[in-house]
Amino acid sequence: MRLVLVGPPGAGKGTQAEFIAEHFAIPKISTGDIFRSNVSGGTELGRLAKKYMDAGDLVPDEVTNAMVRDRLAQDDAVEGFLLDGFPRNVLQARELDGIMASLDRSLSVVLDLEVDHDEVVRRLSGRRTCKQCGHVWHVEYDPTTRPDVCDKCGGALYHRDDDYPDTVRHRLEVYSAQTSPLVQFYDGRGQLVSIDALGTVEDVTERAIAALA
Ligand code: ADP
Ligand code: ADP
Ligand code: ADP
């Protein structure tokens, strides 16, 4: 299965990606996670990406596309993958077509997670991310046993710099201007499957797996 997840920031892509990738035994490739680990690791890629991420803007396509091209060429992605956070505009979608063509493969399906604006704001404002393993929690919807300590790995949780209200607002504008056209792009090709992403994490996982079966 070669799967792409789309949906606004806070839709639950990263949360669902973990379960879906495990269910289908495919690697989860999250461009946001790759950028964040490069930022915290102080790499050249991280230095390039940081100012865009902090502002809630997209990292330039040439940087992002090269990173994804390299990642999809790795051995573990040959049989399938789940892309979370890429493509994020139509040019990146065309790049993905080119990558697939050059590897003699094609996308299986694009899964669109539908949530309303207010819920996205609630999800993002309460999101807490583990510094160590990257797992996401939520202060109300999915709290940890001890405050600010990851139940999975014991790492420290932090509130992402881009999850504060002004940047959230801007990221949602970026989503509607640049990313939401992908819904029509893939729908027009008959590759889109949309699901209702409201409800508990478990409900949404069930809907996703049923839609993909
Ligand atoms: P995305 O990757 O689309 O930005 P995340 O998976 O990081 O979204 O989810 C955003 C926040 O919402 C996280 O804090 C997560 O714990 C929480 N969340 C995810 N799915 C649900 C859900 N179905 N119900 C309530 N909260 C959720
Ligand atoms: P969310 O799911 O909450 O929107 P991500 O973790 O996917 O956030 O992305 C965080 C930031 O990383 C984005 O705001 C953007 O700056 C950068 N980023 C991630 N994926 C891409 C991409 N495909 N193209 C450009 N920038 C990206
Ligand atoms: P320290 O002060 O020891 O560096 P903190 O937990 O106080 O650690 O983190 C400071 C800030 O750095 C956090 O609020 C967060 O915004 C940012 N940060 C921490 N880890 C990461 C990461 N992996 N990616 C991006 N930003 C991070």
Side-chain angles (χ1 to χ4, degrees):
M1 159 122 28
R2 284 180 266 280
L3 170 66
V4 168
L5 283 190
V6 297
K13 297 183 298 299
T15 301
Q16 296 302 329
E18 282 190 34
F19 295 111
I20 297 169
E22 191 184 276
H23 183 86
F24 292 104
I26 48 178
K28 161 186 136 153
I29 301 174
S30 159
T31 46
D33 286 352
I34 300 173
F35 282 134
R36 277 184 293 281
S37 67
N38 277 277
V39 169
S40 59
T43 68
E44 180 59 27
L45 178 61
R47 270 191 295 277
L48 267 168
K50 187 175 188 319
K51 64 170 184 278
Y52 299 99
M53 297 174 75
D54 285 348
D57 285 319
L58 297 183
V59 177
D61 287 342
E62 56 275 22
V63 174
T64 308
N65 290 346
M67 178 177 95
V68 171
R69 183 176 280 277
D70 285 351
R71 182 62 189 85
L72 288 178
Q74 286 172 24
D75 289 345
D76 67 334
V78 171
E79 295 304 327
F81 54 77
L82 185 166
L83 270 174
D84 161 21
F86 185 94
R88 255 200 171 69
N89 60 34
V90 171
L91 284 175
Q92 291 184 3
R94 296 199 190 288
E95 174 73 11
L96 182 57
D97 286 341
I99 297 174
M100 289 292 99
S102 70
L103 297 169
D104 216 12
R105 292 176 219 155
S106 61
L107 287 183
S108 316
V109 63
V110 177
L111 182 69
D112 170 34
L113 301 185
E114 294 183 325
V115 272
D116 58 77
H117 180 272
D118 290 351
E119 178 65 8
V120 151
V121 171
R122 278 193 290 275
R123 288 185 185 181
L124 289 177
S125 58
R127 172 160 66 184
R128 297 293 181 273
T129 306
C130 178
K131 212 170 179 171
Q132 196 163 289
C133 74
H135 187 80
V136 294
W137 302 91
H138 191 281
V139 292
E140 281 171 51
Y141 301 142
D142 190 14
T144 48
T145 320
R146 286 182 291 162
D148 293 326
V149 180
C150 181
D151 282 346
K152 289 212 154 187
C153 76
L157 304 189
Y158 72 104
H159 192 173
R160 274 171 47 176
D161 291 340
D162 57 351
D163 278 348
Y164 288 91
D166 285 352
T167 316
V168 164
R169 211 168 299 126
H170 183 61
R171 285 162 65 210
L172 291 172
E173 287 164 7
V174 169
Y175 177 80
S176 62
Q178 300 191 50
T179 310
S180 69
L182 290 179
V183 169
Q184 277 193 311
F185 178 89
Y186 285 117
D187 194 29
R189 290 185 180 185
Q191 288 181 308
L192 191 80
V193 173
S194 296
I195 62 165
D196 175 7
L198 293 176
T200 66
V201 170
E202 294 74 23
D203 289 343
V204 179
T205 305
E206 265 180 38
R207 275 177 225 144
I209 288 172
L212 296 170

